[in-house]
Amino acid sequence: MVMDINEIREYLPHRYPFLLVDRVTELTLGEAIVAYKNVSINEPFFNGHFPHHPIMPGVLVIEALAQACGILGFKTVNKLPADGYVYYLVASDNVRFKRPVMPGDQLVLEARVERTKRGIWKFACRATVDGELICEADITCAERKVA
């Protein structure tokens, strides 16, 4: 299953500059997702992080992983933000960064469902660039009705 940016926008409420998933290349409902973010020098955060040595902030790598988790959750339960649902990032545990993400990198986002119960989802996540581990984390999200 592949999702382009138009379908991603149906499953994530985020918009520029906080939509951090460009494409989904693999998705197995209830199990796992592989997506990516193309990192461009035109990203607004590079103006201040850092002007002479631009690197993607680690918190945005975690946010990109959490967005991939949200897509997997929404697709699995067949719900949409348009129906009044949202996935909140409620925890990131065991986070480890291995190297910085630079302009020109394609950040590959992988998430695997560890468990889910009553709208609380726990995912094992990793981000890579060219097969090299960038970050790994356990991410917890909560599905909630907001409207």
Side-chain angles (χ1 to χ4, degrees):
M1 180 181 297
V2 176
M3 295 172 66
D4 66 11
I5 193 62
N6 295 313
E7 189 175 1
I8 289 167
R9 288 167 47 100
E10 290 178 32
Y11 285 89
L12 287 179
H14 307 77
R15 295 296 178 262
Y16 177 84
F18 281 100
L19 180 58
L20 299 174
V21 177
D22 292 328
R23 183 169 302 263
V24 174
T25 56
E26 298 174 36
L27 193 149
T28 305
L29 296 177
E31 292 181 26
I33 188 170
V34 178
Y36 66 76
K37 161 75 176 145
N38 290 316
V39 181
S40 165
I41 190 61
N42 297 319
E43 306 286 349
F45 49 78
F46 284 134
N47 289 326
H49 201 264
F50 301 99
H52 301 294
H53 181 67
I55 62 171
M56 184 176 184
V59 296
L60 293 181
V61 174
I62 297 298
E63 175 64 22
L65 286 166
Q67 288 181 21
C69 294
I71 293 169
L72 178 55
F74 273 130
K75 290 287 280 187
T76 297
V77 299
N78 197 28
K79 293 179 181 174
L80 295 168
D83 300 326
Y85 290 92
V86 68
Y87 276 80
Y88 290 118
L89 171 62
V90 297
S92 54
D93 298 302
N94 304 313
V95 176
R96 296 289 180 266
F97 295 99
K98 304 298 183 177
R99 87 154 178 84
V101 178
M102 316 287 258
D105 285 344
Q106 184 177 73
L107 187 63
V108 177
L109 311 163
E110 302 172 38
R112 187 181 73 253
V113 175
E114 293 285 296
R115 65 183 171 273
T116 180
K117 185 175 183 180
R118 291 184 297 219
I120 305 294
W121 296 71
K122 177 103 180 221
F123 301 90
C125 301
R126 43 186 275 124
T128 60
V129 170
D130 294 328
E132 184 180 352
L133 184 63
I134 298 299
C135 173
E136 52 191 351
D138 296 324
I139 291 179
T140 306
C141 297
E143 173 194 320
R144 294 293 181 256
K145 179 96 167 136
V146 292

